[in-house]
Amino acid sequence: MATASLTIDLDAIAANWRALDRMSDTGTQTGAVVKADAYGLGAKRVVRALAEAGARRFFVAVSEEGAAVRQALGPGPQINVLSGHMAGDTEMIHDLDLTPMLNSVDQITRHLESLPGHPFGIQLDTGMNRLGLEAAEWEAVAALVLAEEPELVMSHLACADEPDHPMNAAQLAEFHALTDGIGVPRSLAATGGILLGSEYHFELTRAGVGLYGGRPFADARPVVALALPVIQLREVAPGEVVGYSCGWTAEQPALIATVAAGYADGLTRRYSNAAMLWDGEVPCPIVGRVSMDLITVDVSHLREIPRTLDMIGPMQGVDDLADIAGTIGYEVLTSLGHRYSRRYVSATTRGQV
Ligand SMILES: *Cc1c(COP(=O)(O)O)cnc(C)c1O
């Protein structure tokens, strides 16, 4: 089979949720952020594993994602929509019992008029200038909104992955100023905020990337493994070139393995002549350009050529690849393509999708 295999460890996701949950007091609930198809790993399987581990609140970016999560979970768990209540979403929000996190006066009006009595939350902007009501808007509508009993009031930290950044304390102070005494559950921390300490936790945290094994949760259990099948071997003589634009030239006799995956699978061209594939603990450098479906690897030093080489595994994690590509683990995960044969592994259920 020339399909690369992506293994997703559901037990590791559950363990990471429990570990993040243990970092806050018992009075703090740990929510799970599963937007973008659970950071590219497959929301259906991931949310079921998280619900089994004990997660009761899920966050998605848009209502359509919320619908998919509701279908996977059934009634009960709360599903919060971070983009709020957009025009055209009313029926979905109602029928699938989604909780929109309203982020503007327009959205508040739309929600209270179209779905009176339907659960909602409020998003406040404490300095990131991305989503949420600004202080003056909140002051103008707070009394009216609080009378409608929101389920949650939240804000989002801009620099939580840098513990010493002064923005963290500034946003915390602003969040207190806007919300102290309102008598509504509050949430400020995503993964980075959980690690900042208990004063950032309030009643609910929103763990995302840490669940999937990414920085800044350094103690996370790795979740993803990616093995690429070797489909051809080629001996090249000194002076011969490999790949598009003659991206690599052999200086000595070399054995080149061609493996089946490329930038169409989320393996960016930035890995060209930069990242490694791994045969167990032995690194094999990518030589030449990553192309759409194929990557060429120098395996001259291997005594035996394995059937597959690891792109993501114990020797090279998601964040290592992110460093090589000049991006963050979030982007590496959400770029993982749809051609992989995906295996979901857990002690209780072993399956293929
Ligand atoms: C994506 C997101 C999260 C999760 O962030 P991580 O850094 O992945 O833990 C939490 N809250 C909001 C508003 C988000 O957009």
Side-chain angles (χ1 to χ4, degrees):
M1 190 166 75
T3 304
S5 107
L6 180 68
T7 304
I8 296 153
D9 185 343
L10 295 172
D11 290 344
I13 294 177
N16 290 336
W17 182 83
R18 282 190 221 99
L20 290 164
D21 187 50
R22 279 195 299 272
M23 286 182 191
S24 47
D25 302 338
T26 47
T28 300
Q29 216 189 349
T30 302
V33 182
V34 295
K35 59 194 182 189
D37 201 26
Y39 289 46
L41 300 186
K44 191 170 130 194
R45 304 296 297 264
V46 168
V47 296
R48 286 180 183 161
L50 285 166
E52 220 165 280
R56 287 290 165 267
R57 274 201 202 229
F58 296 84
F59 288 84
V60 293
V62 297
S63 294
E64 286 78 2
E65 293 176 349
V69 170
R70 177 62 75 208
Q71 264 151 21
L73 289 177
Q78 192 173 93
I79 300 169
N80 300 70
V81 180
L82 291 166
S83 59
H85 190 150
M86 296 294 286
D89 284 354
T90 303
E91 219 174 273
M92 208 171 352
I93 289 169
H94 173 264
D95 292 353
L96 295 162
D97 189 18
L98 308 179
T99 303
M101 300 303 300
L102 308 178
N103 51 54
S104 69
V105 176
D106 271 358
Q107 288 205 353
I108 292 168
T109 308
R110 177 179 300 128
H111 186 78
L112 296 180
E113 283 178 359
S114 61
L115 291 177
H118 186 94
F120 69 96
I122 293 287
Q123 224 168 148
L124 302 177
D125 195 321
T126 50
M128 192 172 181
N129 285 311
R130 192 179 67 165
L131 265 189
L133 298 165
E134 293 189 26
E137 292 177 302
W138 173 235
E139 273 153 30
V141 299
L144 180 148
V145 166
L146 292 171
E148 302 291 333
E149 298 181 13
E151 303 222 330
L152 182 68
V153 172
M154 62 166 271
S155 188
H156 193 47
L157 296 168
C159 305
D161 56 340
E162 296 173 63
D164 298 328
H165 201 295
M167 188 70 170
N168 296 320
Q171 286 192 267
L172 178 63
E174 176 72 356
F175 193 55
H176 274 295
L178 296 177
T179 61
D180 276 355
I182 62 174
V184 174
R186 293 182 285 181
S187 177
L188 181 61
T191 303
I194 295 173
L195 301 171
L196 289 179
S198 57
E199 71 267 38
Y200 287 85
H201 294 173
F202 296 89
E203 282 73 41
L204 175 79
T205 59
R206 308 184 306 272
V209 74
L211 302 175
Y212 311 107
R215 276 200 302 249
F217 184 26
D219 298 332
R221 255 172 70 176
V223 167
V224 178
L226 177 59
L228 312 183
V230 175
I231 57 173
Q232 182 147 125
L233 287 170
R234 169 84 78 250
E235 284 177 16
V236 297
E240 284 196 279
V241 296
V242 172
Y244 281 124
S245 307
C246 307
W248 183 80
T249 307
E251 281 167 13
Q252 50 207 11
L255 184 62
I256 304 300
T258 302
V259 299
Y263 60 76
D265 304 291
L267 305 178
T268 166
R269 291 172 80 249
R270 296 206 180 170
Y271 300 150
S272 304
N273 288 316
M276 300 285 169
L277 271 75
W278 294 80
D279 176 26
E281 296 183 355
V282 182
C284 305
I286 292 178
V287 293
R289 295 270 172 92
V290 170
S291 48
M292 188 185 292
D293 319 299
L294 300 167
I295 295 174
T296 37
V297 190
D298 186 352
V299 293
S300 311
H301 53 300
L302 298 186
R303 243 176 273 143
E304 235 178 277
I305 305 304
R307 285 194 313 114
T308 63
L309 291 165
D310 294 335
M311 187 77 201
I312 302 175
M315 304 305 290
Q316 182 170 262
V318 165
D319 286 307
D320 297 318
L321 285 178
D323 289 343
I324 293 165
T327 182
I328 52 177
Y330 301 67
E331 191 178 352
V332 172
L333 286 172
T334 56
S335 301
L336 290 169
H338 299 285
R339 282 198 291 193
Y340 299 125
S341 144
R342 289 177 176 231
R343 285 179 58 239
Y344 289 90
V345 184
S346 81
T348 45
T349 47
R350 280 173 191 279
Q352 204 150 349
V353 167

